[in-house]
Amino acid sequence: MRTTRRELLLGTAGTLAASALPAQATALFADADAAADALLTRTAEAFLKLYPENATSLGIDKDKRASLKHQLTDRSPEGQRKIVAHLRQTLAELARLDAAALSPVMRTNVEVVQASYGSGLEGFGFGYGDVAVGSWRNTPYVVAQNVGAYIDVPRMLDTDHQVKTREDAEAYLDRLESYADQLDGETERLKIAAAKGVIAPDFLLDKNLNQLKLARGGNTAGWGLVTSLANRTAGMEGDFGNGAWMLANDKIAPALDRQIAELERHRKRATADAGVWKFADGEAYYAWALRAGTTTTMTPDEVHQMGMDQLRAIQAEMDTILKKEGYSQGSVGARMEALAKDPRFTFPEGDPGRAEIMKLLNTRIADIRARMPQAFNTLVKGNVEVRRMPPEEEPGAPGAYGGPGSIDGTVPGKFWINLRTTSLHTRFSLPDLAYHEAIPGHVWQGEYTFKLPLVRSLLQFNAYSEGWALYAEQLADELGVYADNPAEKLGYLQSLGFRACRLVVDTGLHAKRWTRQQAIDWFVTANGSSVEEVSGEVDRYCSWPGQACGYKVGHSEINRLRDRARAALGPRYDFKAFNDALVLGGNVPMTVLGHVVDRFVAARKG
């Protein structure tokens, strides 16, 4: 089952011209575009003040924005109210623009902000959880096994916050103090959520509490957020390491204790009910989360069936390869389980296996980087490094994730790999993971947004981001990376099947009242994935409703648009030019992507 144009939510018919505009028409848009550009510039700066960590991750927390390097997002109830006020005011100002007077490109920029802010404002209306304005992580839970300041801040300070001067070190200390405030702000919101009956499932809280206690444990002088600053300021005038230790000991540790105590109160009331259907407004919440995650109006039943249909088609292709490899008995899932246990494809446990995994990933990234001129006319650097996730994060994290670095290139993009156990990964599945997270996936695509107005680098849509990453896996296949290795082709196809399973499991948990165990059992049987991997995945869907559905919905729409462009252009269709159009148009809702492709087709027709 495919999404249709009717089902696509964000963006409206006629919002962008479907034909290329003559050069002389550009002047007609100049005044309206200038007004819109000024508004979008103000919007970006206001957004950065609310989410200053974004300035750091993009490497723009300097010069006139230097004060942002000293700040963190206000995660208190009052901080949430300020974000809502910004969304309302900006949407009102955007609505006063004359959309018909804007150039197609500027109209796209405006629509992106309207879509992101409109969805965010709707999410804040529920009054609990975290709302992903400009991002992808919507969650009903303020803190969970993969959500919260205790995960986000130490990692950001260690990897993104640059310490080259005393001012940088002072900014780090200011952020440590704000980190304690963030924790208390979250704890206050946890109390508000509990009063509404919004409490995470007991199995998520058990993971969450274990991770928080791990973060809280040990001598504060040895905490990573203390040693990170101490090591980077060695030889610098001033004892910044001691300052970090004092803040950790006197402010952060007590704030962590207060958060742990509140979550332990939640644990006493928690049940094993996995889905958001258990909330008083759970059906409405999931409908919103699904719209936000897919940028469509597909119902849970439609998404569920789409997953079943796509899994069937993918496994038919896998069956053919498996038979050629000598695996002919049992379901595709059972045969993939057997393949994963084949010693040819496993890694040793412990650090020797971790070293082999890191070497394999870096080798494959180097290989695919060299193939990029075959897929794109317009190239970016693909500035990326492979890093192991912090051990305290690994128990509640997915197998991997990634994203681009700073705009100026001083901070590379990251491909974070979960190495809590090497059994999470196989030799036939890891190459595909590199293509998804790094090149030509998240890191590669993210660098193209750096060429767009700043607000476009700040806002992203889950269906595009994850749909692109699956399309990146497909590009790697089309560039011949599996030509001599059918087992790795199976790893790629299993990855696609994995994302089809997500459609089934996410909707199963949140709309069909599946239990956690029911979801795990179905997933393992259907796709042949390991219980270890699937358990973490299912827990992720419980805390991020709807997000996992964006992958296959977005991927399917990109391929539908490619088929349409190829049919419309015939011999004028160009593979590399089409891929350029997808990435140069930036991260957009799926409908807006359709308009981008319309303009590409019109321009190629001349």
Side-chain angles (χ1 to χ4, degrees):
M1 175 180 176
R2 287 186 165 184
T3 55
T4 66
R5 299 296 288 168
R6 177 183 57 79
E7 290 170 321
L8 289 162
L9 169 68
L10 297 174
T12 58
T15 51
L16 290 178
S19 58
L21 294 167
Q24 60 265 33
T26 304
L28 300 175
F29 300 116
D31 291 344
D33 276 13
D37 184 62
L39 174 53
L40 294 181
T41 298
R42 293 196 303 274
T43 298
E45 297 302 328
F47 183 95
L48 287 171
K49 288 178 181 177
L50 292 167
Y51 299 100
E53 298 91 335
N54 283 270
T56 296
S57 65
L58 291 173
I60 56 174
D61 55 353
K62 57 190 72 171
D63 302 325
K64 66 179 182 179
R65 303 189 188 97
S67 63
L68 297 177
K69 193 164 188 173
H70 295 253
Q71 302 168 26
L72 295 176
T73 300
D74 183 349
R75 300 195 184 206
S76 71
E78 178 57 28
Q80 299 285 284
R81 286 190 282 272
K82 290 177 181 177
I83 294 170
V84 168
H86 167 66
L87 299 182
R88 285 204 180 106
Q89 178 182 343
T90 303
L91 286 169
E93 292 182 52
L94 291 170
R96 289 194 287 270
L97 294 174
D98 181 1
L102 298 174
S103 68
V105 171
M106 184 57 70
R107 207 175 305 180
T108 296
N109 295 336
V110 169
E111 282 187 329
V112 164
V113 180
Q114 288 175 318
S116 180
Y117 278 29
S119 177
L121 191 60
E122 187 179 356
F124 276 109
F126 291 97
Y128 53 81
D130 260 4
V131 178
V133 180
S135 185
W136 43 267
R137 194 184 71 184
N138 292 304
T139 171
Y141 308 119
V142 180
V143 183
Q145 86 285 2
N146 52 5
V147 178
Y150 80 101
I151 290 175
D152 299 336
V153 175
R155 183 179 63 228
M156 182 277 296
L157 287 174
D158 184 51
T159 62
D160 294 344
H161 185 110
Q162 298 296 287
V163 179
K164 297 179 179 177
T165 67
R166 285 176 51 82
E167 176 71 12
D168 295 339
E170 292 288 355
Y172 188 110
L173 292 177
D174 287 342
R175 279 181 155 170
L176 282 186
E177 192 156 6
S178 294
Y179 173 37
D181 294 335
Q182 279 192 329
L183 290 165
D184 283 334
E186 288 178 335
T187 301
E188 185 62 29
R189 286 164 57 207
L190 282 169
K191 295 175 182 177
I192 294 169
K196 296 175 181 286
V198 177
I199 291 176
D202 54 12
F203 54 88
L204 291 191
L205 283 167
D206 288 341
K207 272 190 172 183
N208 185 187
L209 283 164
N210 285 338
Q211 289 171 225
L212 268 168
K213 290 173 182 177
L214 182 61
R216 170 65 180 89
N219 188 329
T220 50
W223 284 6
L225 50 75
V226 174
T227 59
S228 176
L229 183 62
N231 292 337
R232 288 188 284 166
T233 56
M236 191 180 289
E237 184 181 350
D239 192 351
F240 292 103
N242 188 61
W245 170 74
M246 291 178 65
L247 286 168
N249 200 61
D250 298 343
K251 295 205 168 192
I252 297 169
L256 284 168
D257 288 337
R258 288 188 287 271
Q259 189 163 104
I260 289 169
E262 178 59 28
L263 286 167
E264 285 177 334
R265 285 188 281 273
H266 283 224
R267 181 63 180 83
K268 292 176 182 177
R269 295 175 52 189
T271 70
D273 293 333
V276 297
W277 56 264
K278 64 186 177 182
F279 304 156
D281 55 359
E283 185 176 347
Y285 181 88
Y286 187 55
W288 166 75
L290 201 57
R291 289 196 300 274
T294 66
T295 58
T296 76
T297 55
M298 293 178 72
T299 67
D301 282 345
E302 289 171 331
V303 172
H304 195 85
Q305 189 60 48
M306 178 183 184
M308 299 290 283
D309 293 343
Q310 292 208 0
L311 181 63
R312 191 178 303 113
I314 292 164
Q315 290 193 338
E317 187 174 356
M318 293 174 71
D319 176 63
T320 300
I321 301 173
L322 281 164
K323 286 177 178 174
K324 290 180 180 177
E325 292 298 298
Y327 288 86
S328 58
Q329 301 300 313
S331 68
V332 168
R335 282 178 277 167
M336 289 303 295
E337 282 189 78
L339 192 71
K341 295 174 184 175
D342 188 321
R344 292 178 298 163
F345 303 119
T346 60
F347 293 97
E349 261 304 343
D351 288 340
R354 293 186 179 103
E356 289 185 26
I357 287 172
M358 298 294 278
K359 180 179 179 181
L360 186 155
L361 291 173
N362 281 300
T363 299
R364 291 314 177 94
I365 289 171
D367 173 78
I368 196 67
R369 187 195 306 278
R371 298 175 191 250
M372 288 300 92
Q374 300 173 47
F376 300 90
N377 291 313
T378 306
L379 301 171
V380 289
K381 185 177 179 181
N383 185 18
V384 61
E385 65 179 7
V386 184
R387 295 276 294 269
R388 180 184 177 179
M389 291 179 196
E392 64 270 20
E393 181 184 344
E394 288 178 334
Y401 56 85
S406 61
I407 291 176
D408 64 5
T410 57
V411 179
K414 301 292 190 302
F415 172 7
W416 294 100
I417 183 75
N418 191 327
L419 296 179
R420 68 177 183 268
T421 170
T422 58
S423 62
L424 271 178
H425 309 288
T426 64
R427 294 183 191 275
F428 63 76
S429 63
L430 271 180
D432 179 75
L433 196 59
Y435 309 138
H436 181 104
E437 304 295 351
I439 300 174
H442 290 311
V443 171
W444 183 260
Q445 180 273 318
E447 288 185 17
Y448 287 90
T449 68
F450 298 163
K451 303 175 185 294
L452 297 170
L454 178 58
V455 74
R456 298 293 308 282
S457 293
L458 295 171
L459 304 180
Q460 55 183 296
F461 296 86
N462 183 60
Y464 177 94
S465 296
E466 301 300 351
W468 171 266
L470 288 192
Y471 182 67
E473 297 178 29
Q474 178 182 321
L475 288 179
D477 179 38
E478 291 171 342
L479 292 175
V481 297
Y482 305 126
D484 299 320
N485 198 325
E488 289 184 359
K489 176 68 176 279
L490 283 169
Y492 156 61
L493 292 171
Q494 187 180 36
S495 164
L496 295 184
F498 194 89
R499 274 50 179 238
C501 288
R502 283 177 168 174
L503 302 179
V504 178
V505 174
D506 195 276
T507 52
L509 289 164
H510 297 294
K512 299 181 180 297
R513 305 195 175 196
W514 284 15
T515 66
R516 177 180 187 263
Q517 193 59 50
Q518 184 180 356
I520 291 171
D521 290 345
W522 184 89
F523 208 143
V524 169
T525 302
N527 200 50
S529 302
S530 70
V531 173
E532 174 80 25
E533 178 183 25
V534 164
S535 298
E537 283 287 319
V538 168
D539 289 350
R540 164 184 167 176
Y541 312 153
C542 293
S543 59
W544 298 346
Q547 189 270 341
C549 297
Y551 296 72
K552 209 66 189 67
V553 171
H555 179 232
S556 298
E557 179 62 8
I558 289 172
N559 275 300
R560 190 188 72 82
L561 292 171
R562 190 169 87 164
D563 290 344
R564 192 178 75 186
R566 185 187 288 112
L569 291 173
R572 293 187 180 184
Y573 173 79
D574 181 84
F575 173 65
K576 296 200 289 185
F578 176 81
N579 294 333
D580 276 9
L582 290 180
V583 289
L584 292 173
N587 196 313
V588 295
M590 287 293 102
T591 298
V592 176
L593 186 63
H595 297 317
V596 169
V597 173
D598 286 343
R599 290 207 308 273
F600 162 75
V601 170
R604 297 291 292 184
K605 284 183 174 179

